[in-house]
Amino acid sequence: MFLEVIALNVADVLAIQQAGGNRVELVSDMAADGLSPSIKTIEEVMAISEIPIRVMVRFHNDGFVYEKQEV
């Protein structure tokens, strides 16, 4: 079985690795159903992770439609 788990920070990633997770989906703001994490969070997680990381690319919670200037 392949297990991908959502993480918000370094502590989450460390726990996922220890529990045997296979991949992390890195997000922020779960109250908004998951948004893009900060560059700082991405860099911190990438520095310690031993498993693959997927980063959520979603800059607002108004769906997945973006204006030209947002892209």
Side-chain angles (χ1 to χ4, degrees), residues 29-60:
D29 198 355
M30 288 302 296
D33 296 325
L35 299 178
S36 297
S38 70
I39 295 295
K40 180 181 177 188
T41 300
I42 295 168
E43 290 172 344
E44 290 173 345
V45 165
M46 295 301 292
I48 62 94
S49 183
E50 298 173 2
I51 58 177
I53 304 293
R54 289 194 172 182
V55 177
M56 170 68 77
V57 178
R58 183 173 180 232
F59 301 106
H60 56 67

Side-chain angles (χ1 to χ4, degrees), residues 7-48:
L8 297 170
N9 52 45
V10 168
D12 290 349
V13 173
L14 292 172
I16 292 164
Q17 289 179 157
Q18 185 176 16
N22 302 102
R23 185 170 60 208
V24 169
E25 181 178 8
L26 187 62
V27 306
S28 70
D29 198 355
M30 288 302 296
D33 296 325
L35 299 178
S36 297
S38 70
I39 295 295
K40 180 181 177 188
T41 300
I42 295 168
E43 290 172 344
E44 290 173 345
V45 165
M46 295 301 292
I48 62 94

